[in-house]
Amino acid sequence: MYSDILRATGNYLDHEVLLFEKQAQVRQVGKHEFLLRKGEVARSLYYLLDGAVQQYDMVSESEHNVINLHVAGEWFLNYESLITQRPSTVFMEAFADSRIMEISLEAVHHLTGGSTAFLQLNRVLEGAFKRMQFFDQSMTPTEKYLSVLSHSPQLIHAFPLKIIASYLKVTPETLSRVRNAIANGAVS
């Protein structure tokens, strides 16, 4: 398991995979359990083995501004807080019962000190940064939804449409119109 997860970020020798295994921890996270609360400093990288996780800011007691959604088979982190070591401006919460692999920033530094091969873990950080640029308001609602369908279709099954709409920065009504246009063949 560790070998495949780690090797998705680069090339590692068998002994480096073993070093990684000693540092990484797998744990269960219950639905609505926080991995990071607003105001805390991010200290780990995660890989989602099973389940679903969301990152959001609270607009009101009942409304969230969804920043990112994560499903099984992907690395995730709170990029801004981890890089700057400043308090997070968002919450990171399990949307469903989940199983995650966690590796602390301290452990990553320790691994990198032992082998420069672990610098390849920067690809995880690059992926998080690309996501931040993804929704820079230059894409139409249709382009955003089509991008999700082509790159992360599992999001559609893991999260309700209201959360996906917030993630795409569109209203649920706009998302509904986009989905209907696609279903009716008006968009290809």
Side-chain angles (χ1 to χ4, degrees), residues 138-151:
S138 66
M139 296 175 77
T140 67
T142 301
E143 290 169 334
K144 290 176 184 182
Y145 188 71
L146 288 172
S147 180
V148 166
L149 287 178
S150 66
H151 296 102

Side-chain angles (χ1 to χ4, degrees), residues 9-61:
T9 69
N11 297 311
Y12 300 87
L13 301 173
D14 290 340
H15 78 277
E16 292 165 335
V17 172
L18 293 174
L19 291 172
F20 180 82
E21 285 181 20
K22 290 178 183 177
Q23 297 293 326
Q25 299 176 10
V26 174
R27 64 182 177 115
Q28 293 292 133
V29 181
K31 182 176 183 175
H32 300 303
E33 186 176 330
F34 288 100
L35 296 167
L36 181 69
R37 292 180 191 274
K38 186 174 185 174
E40 296 175 344
V41 176
R43 306 224 184 269
S44 296
L45 307 171
Y46 303 94
Y47 185 86
L48 191 54
L49 298 164
D50 297 301
V53 172
Q54 62 178 337
Q55 292 189 55
Y56 63 88
D57 192 10
M58 293 186 75
V59 176
S60 68
E61 189 68 33

Side-chain angles (χ1 to χ4, degrees), residues 80-131:
E80 185 178 329
S81 179
L82 188 74
I83 295 301
T84 65
Q85 286 298 282
R86 292 190 180 134
S88 174
T89 60
V90 300
F91 297 89
M92 186 184 301
E93 176 185 10
F95 182 77
D97 289 339
S98 301
R99 193 167 56 100
I100 61 166
M101 182 194 68
E102 178 178 3
I103 185 157
S104 71
L105 185 58
E106 183 179 313
V108 171
H109 288 198
H110 174 76
L111 290 169
T112 304
S115 171
T116 57
F118 290 105
L119 290 172
Q120 296 172 97
L121 285 171
N122 282 332
R123 290 185 180 146
V124 174
L125 302 175
E126 291 168 6
F129 183 72
K130 285 179 185 173
R131 160 59 183 106

Side-chain angles (χ1 to χ4, degrees), residues 61-74:
E61 189 68 33
S62 61
E63 188 180 350
H64 296 163
N65 174 23
V66 177
I67 306 302
N68 213 336
L69 300 173
H70 310 286
V71 291
E74 67 179 56

